[in-house]
Amino acid sequence: MIPRPFEYYAPASIPDALGLLKKHGDEAKLLAGGHSLLPMMKLRFAQPGHVIDLGKISELRGIREDGGTIRIGAMTSENDLIWSALLQKKCPLLVEGARQISDPQVRYRGTIGGDICHGDPANDHPALMLALGASFVLRSSAGERVVPADGFFVGMYATGMQADEIMTEIRVPTPPPGTGSCYSKLKRKVGDFATAAAAVTLTMKGETVSQVAIALTNVGPTPLKARAAEDALRGKPLTDENIGNAARLAMSICDPSPDQRGSTEYKTAMAGEMTQRALRTAGSRALR
Amino acid sequence: MATKQAVSMKLNGKVADVVVEPRELLIHTLREKLGTTGPHIGCETSHCGACTVDLDGMSVKSCTVLTVQCQNSEVLTIEGFEQGGVLHVLQECFSEQHGLQCGYCTPGMITRAYRLLKENPNPTEEEIRYWMAGNLCRCTGYQNIVKAVQFAAKKLATKAA
């Protein structure tokens, strides 16, 4: 279980990393926490000739709030998300999500940016990003662009990121006070990917839902935004009937591949169940 | 053949210099080049935790870290726990509480428990189970491992007081 030979670089700055990326083009892979890429390299599914480690670039790490936006460096580890006082207070959904990713050792190394850029629909941050309405900062030697999470995930291991770009930051609009959120994830055991999971954020006006976002993990080639389910809930009370209806609408967009975690039907049913649980919990956490 | 790189790290308090191919995994450098065979190779896929070492204050699975990533790092393996012939409190407690049977997972368990207790000196049973979840044991059923960590936490607290 040893990767094929490659050249290794540990640039100290983003411009240096971009220079290396430009020079080596398609032959190069960016290394973040290494807990997706290195396993793929060990299995020889990935065989980059050049590995550019972003681990020494300190400006890619950290969490701060700036004028209603939470800005998270792409190389911030899952463990740092979990212990962030800012996130615990203002964006607990990310903390709840990160706590359910893999295991402690992996969370010390694994990064939010790596999880997103890998483009694996089984990863948890993509759905969390959709539910939070996040956007991503992508930098190349030509400049910088900011793209919304919604639309970024285009297929299995395929994202809107270009080969000469580095994700530098994740921007999350600070959820308005009173927002309720929940990440409900079914997994067979610690360290496994989700059989199905649902991320929900919502705000209530009295007993009716005023804003709601629902996103699903690992039940399609990309994370899925359950738009019809959202539309059906907006302006309605969170009754059992409305929650059940939203879950059915969420299930209708699922198309999971059968594997050792279950059949298409089972996974779809579990996506519905996770949607119901996340809606109920988020509803109970939202201020009226 | 990729260019070999010189890597200098601190291993259990002593300088360790190696020259490695970039593709060499930390577990192999530790076991094959530096003689620290305490961290074990269990699954080689970052699931089992037998290869856990402490790297710059983090518990990591050394089968999923490249040695070249450890330039100027501080690495602690189970070999670094005993001092002057005296076992570390965690080693004592794993022994006293029967926190092991075959012993294969033990170096990883103790190394992980060390960092857990540094971060949370007085964990509840639930916290121990959650924060030790990256280490698998196929013998004990975990009960005595949890007990050993609880005992170690108590002993360390008494020592510190």
Side-chain angles (χ1 to χ4, degrees):
Chain A
M1 297 277 283
I2 295 169
R4 281 180 73 91
F6 56 85
E7 299 291 340
Y8 171 86
Y9 315 88
S13 73
I14 296 173
D16 287 355
L18 287 170
L20 286 163
L21 199 51
K22 198 168 187 184
K23 186 173 168 200
H24 298 294
D26 289 348
E27 284 286 284
K29 269 280 187 192
L30 296 172
L31 178 66
H35 279 61
S36 298
L37 181 59
L38 290 180
M40 289 184 89
M41 287 169 63
K42 285 161 77 176
L43 292 167
R44 313 256 171 141
F45 291 149
Q47 308 191 355
H50 302 269
V51 169
I52 302 165
D53 184 358
L54 302 176
K56 306 285 183 204
I57 307 177
S58 51
E59 65 177 297
L60 287 176
R61 252 181 248 121
I63 307 165
R64 66 198 166 94
E65 194 184 20
D66 181 12
T69 303
I70 297 168
R71 301 168 70 142
I72 304 169
M75 285 290 289
T76 305
S77 72
E78 306 296 354
N79 202 48
D80 287 343
L81 298 181
I82 291 173
W83 292 110
S84 160
L86 173 67
L87 293 181
Q88 287 172 5
K89 186 162 171 240
K90 299 206 167 170
C91 192
L93 179 63
L94 270 181
V95 177
E96 188 173 58
R99 279 185 63 100
Q100 295 178 70
I101 293 174
S102 197
D103 66 43
Q105 283 93 321
V106 174
R107 291 192 296 260
Y108 280 109
R109 300 289 291 180
T111 65
I112 181 170
D115 185 282
I116 292 167
C117 295
H118 193 51
D120 186 341
N123 282 358
D124 298 288
H125 282 297
L128 294 167
M129 295 297 110
L130 291 177
L132 287 164
S135 53
F136 308 135
V137 181
L138 305 175
R139 202 185 296 177
S140 72
S141 34
E144 189 176 276
R145 62 188 181 120
V146 182
V147 299
D150 197 354
F152 181 76
F153 304 99
V154 295
M156 187 81 85
Y157 299 114
T159 69
M161 200 162 111
Q162 302 299 312
D164 64 345
E165 287 180 317
I166 293 175
M167 182 177 289
T168 55
E169 192 176 81
I170 290 93
R171 292 184 183 167
V172 178
T174 307
T179 300
S181 64
C182 179
Y183 190 55
S184 190
K185 177 176 177 180
L186 176 69
K187 52 182 180 177
R188 298 174 303 170
K189 61 183 181 67
V190 166
D192 194 17
F193 290 109
T195 304
V200 164
T201 61
L202 58 77
T203 53
M204 302 290 291
K205 200 179 241 170
E207 284 311 308
T208 59
V209 174
S210 56
Q211 283 303 325
V212 60
I214 304 170
L216 308 172
T217 296
N218 214 11
V219 282
T222 65
L224 303 174
K225 189 122 179 356
R227 288 177 221 283
E230 296 169 355
D231 291 343
L233 273 175
R234 223 169 272 124
K236 302 256 177 63
L238 272 182
T239 57
D240 287 350
E241 192 189 342
N242 289 336
I243 288 172
N245 185 39
R248 272 188 296 279
L249 289 166
M251 284 165 63
S252 71
I253 61 167
C254 295
D255 185 21
S257 307
D259 60 14
Q260 75 278 18
R261 294 184 188 88
S263 64
T264 299
E265 294 73 19
Y266 172 71
K267 289 178 169 188
T268 303
M270 289 306 102
E273 180 59 29
M274 293 305 111
T275 302
Q276 294 212 27
R277 289 185 192 182
L279 281 169
R280 276 183 226 285
T281 305
S284 73
R285 290 170 177 173
L287 294 181
R288 294 326 196 247
Chain B
M1 189 70 168
T3 320
K4 286 194 174 185
Q5 298 193 8
V7 178
S8 183
M9 57 181 123
K10 218 175 207 184
L11 173 61
N12 298 326
K14 291 189 193 118
V15 173
D17 295 325
V18 287
V19 175
V20 296
E21 268 192 80
R23 64 173 171 165
E24 186 164 315
L25 302 166
L26 178 58
I27 186 66
H28 293 132
T29 305
L30 290 173
R31 291 179 57 85
E32 291 156 26
K33 291 207 167 83
L34 295 170
T36 39
T37 53
H40 292 151
I41 298 175
C43 67
E44 282 198 88
T45 53
S46 65
H47 286 99
C48 77
C51 67
T52 298
V53 303
D54 201 74
L55 174 67
D56 296 326
M58 302 176 288
S59 303
V60 302
K61 294 180 175 175
S62 58
C63 74
T64 311
V65 174
L66 301 169
T67 303
V68 287
Q69 292 180 283
C70 303
Q71 174 68 1
N72 298 325
S73 287
E74 290 205 21
V75 181
L76 172 70
T77 67
I78 192 67
E79 283 87 349
F81 277 69
E82 164 261 306
Q83 296 291 331
V86 182
L87 289 182
H88 187 275
V89 168
L90 271 162
Q91 292 171 309
E92 260 176 46
C93 290
F94 267 70
S95 164
E96 283 171 15
Q97 298 300 318
H98 304 282
L100 62 142
Q101 286 178 31
C102 85
Y104 201 84
C105 71
T106 314
M109 286 283 177
I110 290 179
T111 310
R112 171 61 198 139
Y114 168 81
R115 184 51 52 192
L116 163 60
L117 292 182
K118 285 269 179 205
E119 293 178 349
N120 182 357
N122 187 22
T124 62
E125 180 186 336
E126 194 189 345
E127 286 171 334
I128 292 172
R129 289 182 183 274
Y130 178 76
W131 292 105
M132 292 287 293
N135 295 73
L136 302 183
C137 171
R138 300 285 85 153
C139 307
T140 63
Y142 301 102
Q143 298 289 359
N144 290 346
I145 291 174
V146 173
K147 253 200 240 167
V149 177
Q150 283 173 318
F151 266 76
K154 272 189 208 133
K155 266 199 186 175
L156 285 165
T158 326
K159 261 194 174 175

